[in-house]
């Protein structure tokens, strides 16, 4: 089972991706995490990638595409969930080409739809509980809105992550994601068109404005 997941930063992609991994027992291949690992280990690739990552830019395709295709080639029969790749049209075409060549195909492509302004509010509204990072608090989401500046779960003190408040950085990432000419949305739509012609491939669109549970239910109802 091979899956792709698309969704802007702030869409709950991580949560729904975890559900897919649990259901199908597939490996999680997250391009951002792979890069962070290289940076952490100080590899040559990590050194090259870091300067782009620090600027919030995409690492060049010459580095990213072979790195991801190499990892995919080493996976076993259980398959994988690819997350964070492809992020542009070139990556999408190369992925499709490589799968075709290897006699592989995608089973599901999941896109979480969320208007850009909503995604931005969600990121900027996130608050961290000093007592437990997993306590969900967001001043812009009614269901998990904290009481003043204390955690809605345990009453602990809340703070905002500095990078969540950096509007320039958020805009830069969203410029890449919401670009439907040759950016990430274009890549998603490329696979949507392919799914329309390939009965082995199912394209699932989820409304990211629903609650986590309702998105989860919709997703589960669409999976075989
Ligand atoms: P992420 O954790 O997905 O936000 O990724 C962190 C950083 O890794 C990004 O800002 C990019 O610099 C780099 N990166 C991750 N995935 C890709 C990709 N598919 N293509 C190019 N750069 C990527």
């Amino acid at each position: 089972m091979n899956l792709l997941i698309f969704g802007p930063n702030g869409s709950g992609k991580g949560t729904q991706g975890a559900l897919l991994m649990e259901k199908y027992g597939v490996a999680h291949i997250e391009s951002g995490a792979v890069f962070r690992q290289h940076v952490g280990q100080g590899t040559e690739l990590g050194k090259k990638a870091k300067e782009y990552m620090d600027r919030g830019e995409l690492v060049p395709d010459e580095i990213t595409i072979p790195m991801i295709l190499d990892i995919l080639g080493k996976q076993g029969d259980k398959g994988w969930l690819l997350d964070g790749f492809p992020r542009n049209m070139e990556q999408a075409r190369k992925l499709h080409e490589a799968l075709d060549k290897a006699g592989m195909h995608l089973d599901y492509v999941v896109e979480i739809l969320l208007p850009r302004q909503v995604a931005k509010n969600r990121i900027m509204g996130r608050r961290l509980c000093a007592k437990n990072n997993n306590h969900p608090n967001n001043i812009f989401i009614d269901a998990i809105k904290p009481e003043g500046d204390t955690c809605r779960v345990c009453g602990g003190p809340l703070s905002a992550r500095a990078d969540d408040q950096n509007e320039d950085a958020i805009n830069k990432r969203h410029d890449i994601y919401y670009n439907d000419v040759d950016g990430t949305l274009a890549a998603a739509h490329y696979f949507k068109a392919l799914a329309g012609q390939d009965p082995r491939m199912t394209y699932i669109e989820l409304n990211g404005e629903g609650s986590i549970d309702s998105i989860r239910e919709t997703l589960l109802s669409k999976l075989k």
Side-chain angles (χ1 to χ4, degrees), residues 203-219:
Y203 196 89
I204 299 174
E205 287 172 318
L206 300 172
N207 175 1
E209 287 187 271
S211 68
I212 289 181
D213 286 344
S214 72
I215 302 175
R216 178 192 169 91
E217 263 176 39
T218 312
L219 176 57

Side-chain angles (χ1 to χ4, degrees), residues 35-61:
F35 279 127
R36 280 188 289 277
Q37 203 175 2
H38 274 283
V39 172
Q41 293 169 350
T43 67
E44 275 312 302
L45 193 153
K47 283 178 200 153
K48 281 190 206 149
K50 188 174 184 309
E51 53 178 301
Y52 297 94
M53 295 169 75
D54 285 346
R55 290 197 298 264
E57 292 169 11
L58 291 185
V59 177
D61 287 342

